[in-house]
């Protein structure tokens, strides 16, 4: 009765929350299993950002509930954003759910499961769903435990929860609540501990990380609390790379831009959500910048780090988006030369201001705009990768690749590299000569210190694992 499987939907924040819940459950004597058919307790950690994500989890839950017919002791829980968004209303469609736990109550999951198990053992009848979607002061500090795989090289660290920006399309302020930051000393301690356990690269997580600590810490000599935190983490011995997601364009003031020139561990990769390239749509979205300001930030960052890699989030088909508005987005998308982008078709989220706007854009128009940007992205990615062919890149070797054909790692620009390596190199930053590229991944050979023959041969020149973009680009 103690085998738990957690299935996670959505963003890296959700991945991190699931990992922290897993760590708490393990400490409580539960066993985490990778096989969902061999568990006694199944927890769905859900996403509400788009309707599709909710529909997927709802479908999955309905399917799983059938398991109760032959195993009445099977426990199904819904955690996270959709639990927060829909609460007890989930019971209308899914009356046999055992547990509904919101985004500020993840740390209660072990207690709730203990209670459910005790009730099962005492023969308490079904119909006793536990629902907890309350707010809890200080909940951002409750999830610091990590489950590290053997030789785990990269880790996520949550620095903040919630968001107060109120972008008119976004459900996150509702599902994640007010912006709350964790104490800087605790974050530094957590990162030091991870570095001590062999982690070499840390990605800081939050809904709007650039606002980190704005209500808790003073600026010091024009330096925001977020940059103060980056400075402290940059000084941790053993840690080699720092990344963060997601920032907000408004957070890119001079101190953060200069940090890219000073902080050696800060990777030259910035995820900078644009959403739209039309000033009119940006205003309707309640995004407080213009296309000109955004373009300036990109130019400033490229000036400090000429090799800077950029990724972005775009929404196509926001209510009222005309061909002219989209042309503006397309134009800026091309000008910024993104290396990576997450392109979303606008999805109505009930309760958000944009949901009430007239002029919803028809689905085929959204799809067409989506495809245009995906095409540009693939071309950008090819162009960037062509410039990498034949160069030597610093790669952090993370471990065996998914297909077990070789090893994988990433460049500082967050490009995935497949290479032949040995276990010994896992966790090392190694120079890798790029010998072959595709749209989404690079292939290379380690370069020995002396620079003569390669240490090992590269992954075979054809075949090899394909990522989603690559498969899409070929289709
Ligand atoms: N700051 C957050 C944003 C969360 S939502 C972060 O951590 O990334 C992630 C992205 O989903 C947004 O940047 C936006 O591009 C997209 N998104 C949000 N609401 C959406 C909606 N209603 N329809 C389509 N895309 C949406
Ligand atoms: Fe959502 Fe805008 Fe915050 S996209 S998470 S409300 S910055």
């Amino acid at each position: 009765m103690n085998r738990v499987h957690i299935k996670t939907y959505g963003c890296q924040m959700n991945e991190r929350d699931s990992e922290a819940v897993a760590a708490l459950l393990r400490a409580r004597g539960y066993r985490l299993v990778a096989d969902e058919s061999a568990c006694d307790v199944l927890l769905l950690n859900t996403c509400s950002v788009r309707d599709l994500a909710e529909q997927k989890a709802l479908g999955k839950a309905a399917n799983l509930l059938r398991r109760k017919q032959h195993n009445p002791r099977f426990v199904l829980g819904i955690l996270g954003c959709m639990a927060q968004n829909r609460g007890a209303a989930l019971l209308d469609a899914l009356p046999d759910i055992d547990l509904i736990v919101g985004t500020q109550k993840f740390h209660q999951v072990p207690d709730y499961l203990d209670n459910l198990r005790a009730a099962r053992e005492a023969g308490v009848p079904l119909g006793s769903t536990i629902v907890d979607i309350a707010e809890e002061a200080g909940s951002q500090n409750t999830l610091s435990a990590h489950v590290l795989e053997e030789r785990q090289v990269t880790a996520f660290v949550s620095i903040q929860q919630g968001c107060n920006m109120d972008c008119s399309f976004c459900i996150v302020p509702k599902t994640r609540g007010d912006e709350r930051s964790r104490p800087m000393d605790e974050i530094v301690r957590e990162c030091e501990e991870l570095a001590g356990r062999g982690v070499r690269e840390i990605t800081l997580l939050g809904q709007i990380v650039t606002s980190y600590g704005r209500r808790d810490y003073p600026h010091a000599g024009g330096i925001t609390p977020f940059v103060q935190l980056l400075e402290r983490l940059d000084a941790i011995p053993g840690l080699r790379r720092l990344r963060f997601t997601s920032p907000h364009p408004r957070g890119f003031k001079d101190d953060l831009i200069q940090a890219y020139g000073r902080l050696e561990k800060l990777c030259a990769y910035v995820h900078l959500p644009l959403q739209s390239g039309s000033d009119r749509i940006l205003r309707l979205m309640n995004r407080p910048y213009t296309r000109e300001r955004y373009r300036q930030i990109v130019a400033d960052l490229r000036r400090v780090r000429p090799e800077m890699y950029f990724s972005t989030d775009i929404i196509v088909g926001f209510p009222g988006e005309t061909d002219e508005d989209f042309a503006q987005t397309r134009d800026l998308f091309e000008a910024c030369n993104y290396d990576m982008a997450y392109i979303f078709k606008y999805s109505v989220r009930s309760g958000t201001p944009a949901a009430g706007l007239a002029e919803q854009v028809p689905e085929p128009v959204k799809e067409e705009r989506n495809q245009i940007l995906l095409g540009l992205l693939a071309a950008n990615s090819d162009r960037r990768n062509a410039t990498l062919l034949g160069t030597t890149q610093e790669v952090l070797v993370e471990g065996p690749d998914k297909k077990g054909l070789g090893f994988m790692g990433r460049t500082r620009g967050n490009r995935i590299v497949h290479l032949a390596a040995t276990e010994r190199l896992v966790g090392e930053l190694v120079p890798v000569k790029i010998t072959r590229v595709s749209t989404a991944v690079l292939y290379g050979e380690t370069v020995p210190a002396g620079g003569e023959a390669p240490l090992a041969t590269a992954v075979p020149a054809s075949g090899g694992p394909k990522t989603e973009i690559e498969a899409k680009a070929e289709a």
Side-chain angles (χ1 to χ4, degrees):
M1 271 302 282
N2 73 343
R3 296 167 306 169
V4 182
H5 177 81
I6 307 181
K7 181 167 170 58
T8 307
Y9 297 84
C11 64
Q12 290 155 325
M13 182 74 84
N14 284 10
E15 296 285 345
R16 171 66 197 120
D17 289 338
S18 292
E19 188 211 354
V21 169
L24 294 177
L25 287 171
R26 196 174 273 182
R28 192 64 75 83
Y30 288 84
R31 207 147 59 78
L32 275 297
V33 295
D35 178 3
E36 74 167 57
S37 63
C39 69
D40 311 297
V41 177
L42 207 150
L43 303 174
L44 300 178
N45 190 8
T46 57
C47 170
S48 288
V49 152
R50 280 167 302 275
D51 187 51
L52 191 66
E54 287 203 346
Q55 294 309 326
K56 266 194 207 160
L58 288 170
K60 181 79 182 173
N63 241 323
L64 287 166
L65 281 178
R66 293 202 211 121
R67 247 193 234 185
K68 293 206 173 205
Q69 287 161 8
H70 53 88
N71 178 10
R73 305 181 76 150
F74 174 65
V75 171
L76 181 62
I78 294 192
L79 317 182
C81 287
M82 187 172 71
Q84 193 71 44
N85 190 29
R86 300 192 175 208
L90 283 169
L91 293 170
D92 297 343
L94 305 162
D96 295 338
I97 292 276
D98 301 285
L99 193 60
I100 297 173
V101 176
T103 54
Q104 305 199 21
K105 294 291 186 176
F106 284 115
H107 58 289
Q108 297 285 11
V109 168
D111 279 353
Y112 292 148
L113 285 184
D114 284 354
N115 293 348
L116 281 168
R117 282 209 305 176
R120 290 284 192 286
E121 267 144 38
V124 175
L126 292 175
S128 49
T129 308
I130 298 175
V131 182
D132 189 356
I133 58 167
E135 290 180 17
E136 181 173 323
S139 66
Q140 71 274 24
N141 301 323
T142 55
L143 295 176
S144 58
H146 286 259
V147 184
L148 293 189
E149 305 292 325
E150 218 182 311
R151 312 203 63 186
Q152 187 174 328
V153 172
T154 63
F156 292 130
V157 170
S158 162
I159 64 171
Q160 168 210 55
Q161 291 274 345
C163 182
N164 286 3
M165 286 306 286
D166 288 325
C167 300
S168 65
F169 50 79
C170 188
I171 194 88
V172 170
K174 177 177 176 197
T175 58
R176 289 281 176 173
D178 274 337
E179 241 171 83
R180 288 113 51 221
S181 295
R182 295 179 55 204
M184 207 181 291
D185 286 347
E186 273 180 31
I187 297 167
V188 173
R189 212 175 306 131
E190 185 174 329
C191 293
E192 283 170 345
E193 197 220 307
L194 289 168
R197 289 163 74 183
V199 168
R200 296 289 163 256
E201 173 180 307
I202 285 177
T203 303
L204 305 177
L205 295 180
Q207 301 298 340
I208 175 160
V209 287
T210 37
S211 295
Y212 169 78
R214 67 186 165 122
R215 297 196 217 111
D216 314 291
Y217 301 96
H219 284 219
I223 308 279
T224 52
F226 179 60
V227 175
Q228 294 170 34
L229 174 65
L230 293 177
E231 286 172 350
R232 288 184 61 183
L233 300 180
D234 191 68
I236 295 177
L239 198 60
R240 306 298 296 273
R241 289 177 173 182
L242 264 178
R243 306 182 189 276
F244 54 81
T245 199
S246 268
H248 192 290
R250 76 182 312 200
F252 283 83
K253 306 275 159 49
D254 208 42
D255 66 325
L256 181 52
I257 287 172
Q258 296 311 327
Y260 279 93
R262 291 189 287 128
L263 304 181
E264 190 232 328
K265 293 172 188 173
L266 200 51
C267 290
Y269 177 99
V270 176
H271 180 66
L272 195 60
L274 170 63
Q275 312 301 358
S276 169
S278 153
D279 286 340
R280 195 180 73 84
I281 296 292
L282 285 171
R283 266 197 310 278
L284 288 172
M285 287 177 161
N286 198 23
R287 299 281 295 182
Y289 51 87
T290 60
R291 57 185 277 123
E292 199 36 53
R293 172 69 193 128
Y294 185 96
R295 197 199 283 268
Q296 188 63 49
I297 295 168
V298 171
D300 288 348
L301 284 165
R302 287 211 204 273
R303 196 166 319 115
V304 176
R305 288 266 187 107
E307 79 280 23
M308 188 68 90
Y309 289 69
F310 285 95
S311 70
T312 196
D313 289 348
I314 305 275
I315 296 177
V316 293
F318 183 83
E321 184 186 69
T322 61
D323 287 342
E324 175 50 30
D325 292 316
F326 177 67
Q328 299 263 304
T329 299
R330 181 187 175 149
D331 173 71
L332 193 52
F333 192 92
E334 287 193 279
C336 293
N337 217 344
Y338 294 111
D339 295 284
M340 182 58 200
Y342 303 89
I343 301 155
F344 305 107
K345 290 179 273 184
Y346 172 72
S347 168
V348 178
R349 309 317 292 132
S350 90
T352 61
L357 294 176
E359 296 183 81
Q360 296 289 332
V361 174
E363 201 53 38
V365 175
K366 290 183 193 171
E367 184 52 34
E368 191 192 334
R369 293 175 182 171
N370 185 35
Q371 290 303 327
I372 289 172
L373 295 186
L374 284 175
L376 290 175
L377 174 63
N380 278 355
S381 192
D382 283 339
R383 203 158 47 226
R384 167 71 91 171
N385 287 351
T387 69
L388 296 174
L389 191 61
T391 64
T392 298
Q393 300 288 319
E394 180 204 273
V395 172
L396 175 60
V397 183
E398 295 181 19
D401 63 31
K402 278 199 187 115
K403 299 226 165 139
L405 296 174
F407 284 74
M408 65 76 63
R410 279 170 214 267
T411 65
R412 290 192 146 239
N414 214 21
R415 284 303 208 226
I416 291 175
V417 184
H418 291 277
L419 70 161
T422 55
E423 267 304 320
R424 190 176 55 80
L425 290 183
V426 173
E428 299 290 323
L429 292 168
V430 292
V432 171
K433 182 162 183 204
I434 305 304
T435 53
R436 191 165 72 85
V437 302
S438 71
T439 301
V441 296
L442 311 173
Y443 301 86
E445 297 169 349
T446 50
V447 180
E452 335 70 61
L455 276 181
T457 48
V459 182
S462 63
K466 286 199 177 69
T467 68
E468 229 169 278
I469 296 196
E470 197 180 5
K472 222 180 252 167
E474 284 176 2

